[in-house]
mmCIF file of all heavy atoms in Angstrom:
data_model
loop_
_atom_site.group_PDB
_atom_site.id
_atom_site.type_symbol
_atom_site.label_atom_id
_atom_site.label_comp_id
_atom_site.label_asym_id
_atom_site.label_seq_id
_atom_site.Cartn_x
_atom_site.Cartn_y
_atom_site.Cartn_z
ATOM 1 N N MET W 21 14.729 21.823 -6.633
ATOM 2 C CA MET W 21 13.713 20.942 -6.041
ATOM 3 C C MET W 21 13.091 20.001 -7.054
ATOM 4 O O MET W 21 12.819 20.457 -8.189
ATOM 5 C CB MET W 21 12.556 21.744 -5.404
ATOM 6 C CG MET W 21 12.918 22.557 -4.184
ATOM 7 S SD MET W 21 11.611 23.415 -3.471
ATOM 8 C CE MET W 21 11.414 24.751 -4.713
ATOM 9 N N PRO W 22 12.919 18.705 -6.807
ATOM 10 C CA PRO W 22 12.297 17.766 -7.805
ATOM 11 C C PRO W 22 10.935 18.228 -8.241
ATOM 12 O O PRO W 22 10.160 18.724 -7.362
ATOM 13 C CB PRO W 22 12.347 16.447 -7.107
ATOM 14 C CG PRO W 22 13.357 16.522 -5.988
ATOM 15 C CD PRO W 22 13.345 18.050 -5.596
ATOM 16 N N ARG W 23 10.641 18.087 -9.484
ATOM 17 C CA ARG W 23 9.387 18.490 -10.070
ATOM 18 C C ARG W 23 8.641 17.237 -10.464
ATOM 19 O O ARG W 23 9.155 16.310 -11.096
ATOM 20 C CB ARG W 23 9.634 19.413 -11.252
ATOM 21 C CG ARG W 23 10.223 20.752 -10.909
ATOM 22 C CD ARG W 23 10.839 21.425 -12.112
ATOM 23 N NE ARG W 23 9.986 21.479 -13.326
ATOM 24 C CZ ARG W 23 9.148 22.487 -13.558
ATOM 25 N NH1 ARG W 23 9.061 23.480 -12.760
ATOM 26 N NH2 ARG W 23 8.334 22.373 -14.715
ATOM 27 N N PHE W 24 7.298 17.214 -10.204
ATOM 28 C CA PHE W 24 6.526 15.982 -10.483
ATOM 29 C C PHE W 24 5.117 16.409 -10.999
ATOM 30 O O PHE W 24 4.735 17.536 -10.892
ATOM 31 C CB PHE W 24 6.396 15.002 -9.333
ATOM 32 C CG PHE W 24 5.449 15.459 -8.268
ATOM 33 C CD1 PHE W 24 4.198 14.922 -8.123
ATOM 34 C CD2 PHE W 24 5.886 16.354 -7.253
ATOM 35 C CE1 PHE W 24 3.292 15.383 -7.126
ATOM 36 C CE2 PHE W 24 5.073 16.678 -6.216
ATOM 37 C CZ PHE W 24 3.721 16.218 -6.164
ATOM 38 N N LEU W 42 4.840 16.995 -1.417
ATOM 39 C CA LEU W 42 4.888 18.453 -1.281
ATOM 40 C C LEU W 42 5.510 18.867 0.089
ATOM 41 O O LEU W 42 6.383 19.666 0.153
ATOM 42 C CB LEU W 42 3.539 19.108 -1.419
ATOM 43 C CG LEU W 42 2.817 19.064 -2.776
ATOM 44 C CD1 LEU W 42 1.405 19.689 -2.627
ATOM 45 C CD2 LEU W 42 3.657 19.847 -3.839
ATOM 46 N N ALA W 44 7.594 17.057 1.673
ATOM 47 C CA ALA W 44 9.021 16.685 1.679
ATOM 48 C C ALA W 44 9.818 17.626 0.762
ATOM 49 O O ALA W 44 11.079 17.490 0.790
ATOM 50 C CB ALA W 44 9.159 15.259 1.149
ATOM 51 N N GLY W 45 9.235 18.499 0.107
ATOM 52 C CA GLY W 45 10.014 19.519 -0.685
ATOM 53 C C GLY W 45 9.976 19.450 -2.123
ATOM 54 O O GLY W 45 10.568 20.197 -2.919
ATOM 55 N N ALA W 46 9.024 18.574 -2.699
ATOM 56 C CA ALA W 46 8.873 18.520 -4.214
ATOM 57 C C ALA W 46 7.902 19.562 -4.687
ATOM 58 O O ALA W 46 7.190 20.217 -3.829
ATOM 59 C CB ALA W 46 8.380 17.126 -4.602
ATOM 60 N N VAL W 47 7.864 19.773 -5.939
ATOM 61 C CA VAL W 47 6.884 20.718 -6.584
ATOM 62 C C VAL W 47 6.069 20.002 -7.518
ATOM 63 O O VAL W 47 6.624 19.354 -8.497
ATOM 64 C CB VAL W 47 7.660 21.882 -7.274
ATOM 65 C CG1 VAL W 47 6.745 22.897 -7.920
ATOM 66 C CG2 VAL W 47 8.571 22.639 -6.241
ATOM 67 N N SER W 84 11.540 18.632 -18.130
ATOM 68 C CA SER W 84 11.784 19.272 -16.764
ATOM 69 C C SER W 84 11.105 18.498 -15.622
ATOM 70 O O SER W 84 11.393 18.916 -14.446
ATOM 71 C CB SER W 84 11.391 20.718 -16.826
ATOM 72 O OG SER W 84 9.950 20.806 -16.861
ATOM 73 N N ASP W 86 10.678 15.480 -13.248
ATOM 74 C CA ASP W 86 11.501 14.384 -12.831
ATOM 75 C C ASP W 86 10.855 13.105 -12.667
ATOM 76 O O ASP W 86 11.327 12.011 -12.870
ATOM 77 C CB ASP W 86 12.205 14.789 -11.505
ATOM 78 C CG ASP W 86 13.096 16.039 -11.643
ATOM 79 O OD1 ASP W 86 14.081 16.007 -12.417
ATOM 80 O OD2 ASP W 86 12.711 17.067 -11.056
ATOM 81 N N PHE W 87 9.561 13.168 -12.130
ATOM 82 C CA PHE W 87 8.810 11.865 -11.872
ATOM 83 C C PHE W 87 7.313 12.076 -11.959
ATOM 84 O O PHE W 87 6.933 13.322 -11.852
ATOM 85 C CB PHE W 87 9.281 11.288 -10.522
ATOM 86 C CG PHE W 87 8.897 12.026 -9.279
ATOM 87 C CD1 PHE W 87 7.748 11.827 -8.623
ATOM 88 C CD2 PHE W 87 9.704 13.076 -8.821
ATOM 89 C CE1 PHE W 87 7.366 12.520 -7.468
ATOM 90 C CE2 PHE W 87 9.406 13.778 -7.647
ATOM 91 C CZ PHE W 87 8.227 13.526 -6.996
ATOM 92 N N LEU W 318 12.576 11.298 -2.745
ATOM 93 C CA LEU W 318 13.166 12.474 -3.400
ATOM 94 C C LEU W 318 14.650 12.472 -3.521
ATOM 95 O O LEU W 318 15.319 12.916 -4.419
ATOM 96 C CB LEU W 318 12.586 13.790 -2.739
ATOM 97 C CG LEU W 318 11.163 13.985 -2.780
ATOM 98 C CD1 LEU W 318 10.772 15.329 -2.105
ATOM 99 C CD2 LEU W 318 10.654 13.978 -4.259
ATOM 100 N N ARG W 322 17.180 12.598 -6.711
ATOM 101 C CA ARG W 322 18.323 13.454 -6.870
ATOM 102 C C ARG W 322 19.679 12.715 -7.132
ATOM 103 O O ARG W 322 20.476 13.225 -7.980
ATOM 104 C CB ARG W 322 18.457 14.429 -5.607
ATOM 105 C CG ARG W 322 17.322 15.303 -5.434
ATOM 106 C CD ARG W 322 17.710 16.214 -4.135
ATOM 107 N NE ARG W 322 16.566 17.042 -3.822
ATOM 108 C CZ ARG W 322 15.708 16.865 -2.735
ATOM 109 N NH1 ARG W 322 16.029 15.695 -2.067
ATOM 110 N NH2 ARG W 322 14.800 17.662 -2.469
#
Side-chain angles (χ1 to χ4, degrees):
M21 292 182 288
R23 293 160 51 89
F24 74 98
L42 292 174
V47 178
S84 74
D86 300 296
F87 66 95
L318 295 182
R322 294 186 187 98

